[in-house]
Amino acid sequence: MKTVNPIDVINKSRVHSFHILLVAWLFFVLMFDGYDVVIYGAVVSTLMEEWGMSDVMGGAIGSYTVAGTAVGAVIFGLMADKVGRKRVIILCTAVFSLFTFLAGFATSAGIFTVLRVIAGLGLGGVMPNIIALVTEFAPQKRRTALVAFVFAGYSTGAVVAALTSRALLPTVGWKPTFWIAIIPIILLPLIMKSVPESVAYLIEKGKMDKVKGILTKVDPTISPADRIEIPRRAQSVVGSTFSQLFQEKRTFSTMMFWIAFFCSLLLVFAMNTWLPRLLMAAGFDLSSSLLFTAVMQLGAILGTVVLGPVMDRIGFKKVLVPLFFSGAIALALIGYSKNTAIVLGLITIIGAATIGVQNLSNTFVSQYYPTHMRATAIGSTMAFGRIGGILAPLIVGVLLSMNLQPQYNFGVIGIASLIGGLALLFVQEKHAVYREEKQVDEKPEKERSEAIPKIAEADVN
């Protein structure tokens, strides 16, 4: 019998069937999260025609939905720290799946908006908890790559939304595109069986038998007879997790993350809601515009999957800041071109520099803060960011109603990309938890063994 430290076991584990299954299911959930978000942008022009809505009204519905995601991010981020991340992920998945499905039966803009706002609660709550859970269970050396891969699920769902709407709108209309969203509810029993609860949460609740059961799956060499080392707890932090985002010299970086996410989510929801309409205003037809939307999401997937491992090697800021700035340049240029090949190339860059940046930024935040506050950190950061997401559909709707030249519409949106890059540039990495872990790994074995319990203790406290 030996004594094992849960944090050390997870950090040093190798990727095997446990991790693959976890990543696959969380990828699946986020795929439908992305589908449910983007499907509105794909059908908004059709809804505007069917219900006689203006650009401003179409944007307002998008803004109300994002407002729901902001509320959901806060409520369910805080809830997860008290009732467990697995339960919240299951609940949020059921909410966004059911109410997106029901939106496909709406007969008026009012009913549709209510259903979309409720779905938004689940959409907002599921993402921060998935980030926190996959970050917690990913081996340290593969953490960024695995988190980035899971978040490629969001863009994969967005691609499916664009292509599905392109195929179904001309034949059966917009409603069946929403009915597809019921699939996650059908598969919830399998998700519940395969996704584990947070080890940090189980330790907090004293459920050590369940901790040991999960650790034997993380590392099959661990014996059921082994003793679990429980980090000492200095004090309870129930109710104080949010305030800790502004402690231990994290205040400035927390504010910079909030500004960056405000800009990032403004870009994401501006593009997801209005890209087809913006391109139609630039002279492209609906079918081509939906294809361009799919290309943008493919750019996001490419940026997320390719640049995730790069961030592991060279650091977060060295990837994210230039990517933000490249998005600003691409947005400034796209309104001037009618050449399809050039537009496709610029849209690919925009996908990587908007949705891809958001996916990768999530991994930055998730690794910047200690384990016990990750869900709260991500939830609150995304909640503030979603203020930008709330404003984005309405701002672009107003721009479109002004009948400006296409380059002005895209140029205004591009300003957010410039500001977001500057904000991340000023994040202070020296106060990040991953920097402390790296410093421990570089210590001699004896000093390292003494330092690991301290980090584990910080994660629980």
Side-chain angles (χ1 to χ4, degrees):
M1 182 178 72
K2 63 179 183 293
T3 299
V4 295
N5 184 287
I7 306 300
D8 199 28
V9 168
I10 292 171
N11 285 344
K12 298 175 68 175
S13 64
R14 295 182 178 180
V15 175
H16 60 89
S17 57
F18 168 84
H19 301 93
I20 294 171
L21 193 61
L22 173 64
V23 165
W25 279 117
L26 296 182
F27 179 98
F28 172 82
V29 173
L30 279 193
M31 184 176 74
F32 274 90
D33 186 299
Y35 181 95
D36 290 6
V37 169
V38 172
I39 196 61
Y40 175 70
V43 306
V44 63
S45 296
T46 303
L47 294 178
M48 288 168 60
E49 182 178 348
E50 181 172 325
W51 290 333
M53 298 189 302
S54 65
D55 287 319
V56 175
M57 182 60 187
I61 292 176
S63 293
Y64 298 149
T65 303
V66 183
T69 68
V71 174
V74 174
I75 292 175
F76 292 114
L78 294 172
M79 182 184 296
D81 291 326
K82 297 182 180 180
V83 305
R85 289 167 189 164
K86 176 179 179 176
R87 292 177 183 175
V88 170
I89 290 171
I90 298 300
L91 175 60
C92 290
T93 301
V95 169
F96 79 68
S97 178
L98 175 61
F99 284 92
T100 300
F101 169 75
L102 293 176
F105 295 93
T107 55
S108 68
I111 295 173
F112 180 85
T113 301
V114 171
L115 293 170
R116 287 293 290 167
V117 170
I118 298 174
L121 294 173
L123 292 168
V126 75
M127 185 174 286
N129 287 290
I130 282 182
I131 302 171
L133 196 65
V134 72
T135 300
E136 178 177 347
F137 280 108
Q140 185 175 343
K141 292 183 179 180
R142 298 288 182 267
R143 188 168 293 157
T144 301
L146 289 178
V147 174
F149 178 80
V150 167
F151 273 85
Y154 180 93
S155 296
T156 301
V159 171
V160 173
L163 297 180
T164 299
S165 58
R166 188 169 184 258
L168 295 182
L169 283 176
T171 55
V172 296
W174 65 272
K175 292 186 177 182
T177 64
F178 282 79
W179 298 342
I180 293 172
I182 199 64
I183 293 175
I185 284 186
I186 298 173
L187 296 179
L188 267 185
L190 292 176
I191 298 173
M192 293 173 66
K193 182 178 179 180
S194 303
V195 175
E197 183 54 270
S198 161
V199 166
Y201 169 79
L202 293 174
I203 292 175
E204 174 75 19
K205 298 300 179 182
K207 299 179 180 181
M208 303 311 297
D209 289 341
K210 291 185 177 181
V211 171
K212 186 178 294 185
I214 292 173
L215 291 181
T216 57
K217 295 178 181 179
V218 173
D219 184 353
T221 65
I222 293 178
S223 167
D226 291 340
R227 188 174 70 88
I228 304 298
E229 178 183 327
I230 305 175
R232 297 187 305 274
R233 297 174 54 201
Q235 59 182 359
S236 174
V237 295
V238 175
S240 63
T241 308
F242 180 79
S243 65
Q244 289 187 340
L245 300 178
F246 303 92
Q247 296 175 5
E248 299 180 10
K249 300 181 180 180
R250 288 189 286 257
T251 299
F252 184 76
S253 293
T254 294
M255 299 303 297
M256 291 300 101
F257 277 129
W258 285 13
I259 293 172
F261 270 54
F262 177 95
C263 296
S264 177
L265 285 168
L266 189 151
L267 292 164
V268 168
F269 284 97
M271 293 293 99
N272 281 341
T273 304
W274 284 120
L275 182 62
R277 187 82 171 82
L278 285 165
L279 291 171
M280 289 170 68
F284 295 94
D285 59 30
L286 177 60
S287 180
S288 297
S289 298
L290 290 173
L291 179 61
F292 288 146
T293 299
V295 170
M296 180 181 72
Q297 302 297 339
L298 288 173
I301 294 171
L302 184 64
T304 302
V305 174
V306 171
L307 296 178
V310 175
M311 289 200 309
D312 268 332
R313 293 195 298 271
I314 68 174
F316 293 101
K317 291 168 64 171
K318 290 180 181 178
V319 171
L320 292 173
V321 174
L323 196 54
F324 253 125
F325 291 158
S326 68
I329 295 170
L331 284 164
L333 294 176
I334 192 170
Y336 290 94
S337 179
K338 300 292 184 182
N339 184 286
T340 300
I342 294 175
V343 171
L344 285 172
L346 292 172
I347 285 179
T348 301
I349 295 172
I350 290 170
T354 55
I355 302 162
V357 158
Q358 179 59 40
N359 293 343
L360 296 171
S361 297
N362 287 329
T363 70
F364 192 2
V365 174
S366 70
Q367 294 188 51
Y368 190 89
Y369 297 91
T371 300
H372 78 277
M373 65 172 70
R374 276 175 184 154
T376 299
I378 298 165
S380 60
T381 303
M382 294 186 71
F384 186 85
R386 277 187 167 87
I387 298 174
I390 292 168
L391 295 175
L394 192 57
I395 290 172
V396 181
V398 171
L399 286 174
L400 287 167
S401 70
M402 295 169 66
N403 296 315
L404 301 174
Q405 293 296 315
Q407 57 265 31
Y408 294 120
N409 293 330
F410 285 109
V412 171
I413 298 169
I415 293 172
S417 195
L418 180 62
I419 297 173
L422 290 172
L424 280 190
L425 185 63
F426 290 110
V427 170
Q428 298 176 320
E429 289 187 284
K430 62 184 178 181
H431 302 308
V433 166
Y434 62 77
R435 183 60 59 86
E436 296 176 7
E437 292 176 344
K438 183 178 179 180
Q439 291 171 350
V440 169
D441 287 340
E442 294 173 349
K443 290 177 179 291
E445 182 62 29
K446 182 178 179 180
E447 293 182 30
R448 182 176 177 276
S449 62
E450 295 173 352
I452 287 174
K454 296 179 180 178
I455 293 179
E457 181 179 340
D459 274 344
V460 173
N461 287 302

